[in-house]
Amino acid sequence: MGAINICMRKLLYISIIILLSSAAFAEERGDTSETSFDAFLKKLYEKPNFVKNRTTLDVHYGASAVSYPAGVLRNDFASAYPAGLGYGFTRFDDKQPIDDIFYYASEFVFIRNNSSHFKPATFEKDGITTDSWHFGGGISNGYGYGSEEHEFFFFHTGRFIWSRIDIELYPLNPFDSSALKQVDENYKFGSSWSGGIKYHLTGPVFLSAEYEHVLVNTDFHFGKWFGSWAIENLSQRWIDFFEEGMMKSYGKNWPWVNWVIKNSLSLALYELRRNNVNWPFDSREALSFNTFRAGITFVF
């Protein structure tokens, strides 16, 4: 795991360098008026009066790899299969400096069941089986390509999650049993990030595909959690601060460049936090749910 952590740190540093270099390039091009602190606050807290909230319903299904870091358990978890519902609001803003590029933002609440048994009959169930419920809320944003129909876009999502996990059958060895009791049949706080794409199929119907990494805190300490969350949030918000200038610098490449930078930062931070859930502050390991899923979203 040491080699993995080193690689993740390098990825984090590279992402930050790319971000700061891009911001500096934007400044050199004379775009500072578009990246002022006032514009940053306006983007965060004000909604243009020509943009309206649209009610959003989401249905999704996928497959999760459930895991502790190496060395915590001697047995592996069986795969789990999440099915869930989401409800929230979505906005599209096509008044951007680049033609045919639009901004997407959404806030939502969700609930999902993630069970080793909610699967096709032909799939095997090898390992420790689980049945868990996850609920919480999150925000999602990104950029896409299209005009009137807002056809295709990339998004990054952050969530706060409460989880109740049922370990259905304990292994015989006491080593594993002790670790599993930390999360079994208890409500645990956690967080997740996900990155994905959505495609406007027809009318109110959008199709989506995404990857999500959930971290479940096995031993929650507010101060350490808040410090770790603040680092993650600041790393993401720096991008928003320089966004106007960076968009003009990258032109029509901006939707996917923004997606790569934001999700690379989240990937690096979440990999570092597998073994130390409140990284860089000393804390316990996390229980992870790594999920690939597909969904149908209705935007009315």
Side-chain angles (χ1 to χ4, degrees):
M1 294 301 293
I4 293 176
N5 284 337
I6 291 172
C7 290
M8 289 302 104
R9 288 189 182 97
K10 288 181 178 178
L11 179 59
L12 174 61
Y13 300 149
I14 290 170
S15 299
I16 292 173
I17 289 170
I18 292 172
L19 169 62
L20 295 179
S21 298
S22 301
F25 180 62
E27 296 285 347
E28 289 174 3
R29 291 190 51 151
D31 296 325
T32 55
S33 63
E34 298 296 327
T35 59
S36 66
F37 188 65
D38 289 341
F40 169 64
L41 291 178
K42 183 177 181 180
K43 185 173 184 63
L44 280 183
Y45 299 113
E46 293 185 21
K47 179 170 69 71
N49 56 19
F50 57 85
V51 174
K52 67 177 182 179
N53 280 320
R54 299 170 63 180
T55 302
T56 304
L57 297 174
D58 176 76
V59 181
H60 59 261
Y61 177 78
S64 296
V66 188
S67 65
Y68 271 119
V72 176
L73 295 181
R74 295 175 183 172
N75 292 272
D76 295 327
F77 285 97
S79 296
Y81 301 88
L85 298 171
Y87 173 81
F89 301 95
T90 294
R91 296 175 300 283
F92 296 106
D93 180 2
D94 58 6
K95 303 291 195 252
Q96 302 299 318
I98 309 298
D99 291 339
D100 297 329
I101 287 180
F102 64 91
Y103 176 70
Y104 154 83
S106 180
E107 302 83 33
F108 59 90
V109 293
F110 71 92
I111 185 169
R112 75 172 69 112
N113 179 249
N114 201 356
S115 173
S116 299
H117 308 289
F118 196 51
K119 64 177 186 61
T122 55
F123 286 20
E124 297 292 333
K125 283 190 301 186
D126 295 327
I128 303 168
T129 58
T130 58
D131 185 80
S132 58
W133 286 93
H134 307 268
F135 60 92
I139 58 174
S140 181
N141 64 4
Y143 286 87
Y145 299 100
S147 52
E148 294 182 0
E149 294 300 321
H150 306 125
E151 292 179 346
F152 179 80
F153 57 96
F154 303 84
F155 63 89
H156 172 276
T157 303
R159 299 173 181 83
F160 290 144
I161 296 178
W162 285 262
S163 302
R164 189 183 189 281
I165 302 162
D166 179 17
I167 309 297
E168 296 182 323
L169 184 62
Y170 275 63
L172 295 177
N173 71 77
F175 181 84
D176 283 3
S177 296
S178 176
L180 295 173
K181 286 179 180 177
Q182 297 174 18
V183 295
D184 188 24
E185 297 184 346
N186 290 305
Y187 286 95
K188 295 291 185 178
F189 178 72
S191 62
S192 82
W193 75 271
S194 66
I197 57 176
K198 285 193 178 184
Y199 172 71
H200 186 196
L201 183 63
T202 182
V205 181
F206 292 73
L207 303 180
S208 66
E210 65 183 303
Y211 167 80
E212 181 186 22
H213 185 175
V214 177
L215 292 175
V216 178
N217 287 269
T218 55
D219 188 18
F220 182 73
H221 296 280
F222 177 80
K224 293 180 179 180
W225 166 81
F226 183 81
S228 182
W229 172 83
I231 291 171
E232 178 186 4
N233 200 47
L234 287 172
S235 72
Q236 295 288 345
R237 289 309 175 191
W238 271 107
I239 303 168
D240 297 335
F241 187 83
F242 293 106
E243 198 165 55
E244 294 290 336
M246 292 172 70
M247 185 186 302
K248 291 181 178 179
S249 297
Y250 284 108
K252 289 190 179 293
N253 292 317
W254 176 240
W256 69 263
V257 170
N258 174 74
W259 184 81
V260 168
I261 294 175
K262 285 205 167 193
N263 286 288
S264 294
L265 284 166
S266 291
L267 172 63
L269 288 168
Y270 269 68
E271 289 299 321
L272 288 169
R273 290 163 62 186
R274 283 183 187 268
N275 291 281
N276 184 11
V277 71
N278 295 317
W279 183 89
F281 308 101
D282 185 45
S283 51
R284 299 185 65 114
E285 68 281 341
L287 178 63
S288 292
F289 290 78
N290 294 84
T291 302
F292 288 95
R293 64 168 171 263
I296 301 175
T297 303
F298 301 91
V299 180
F300 301 100

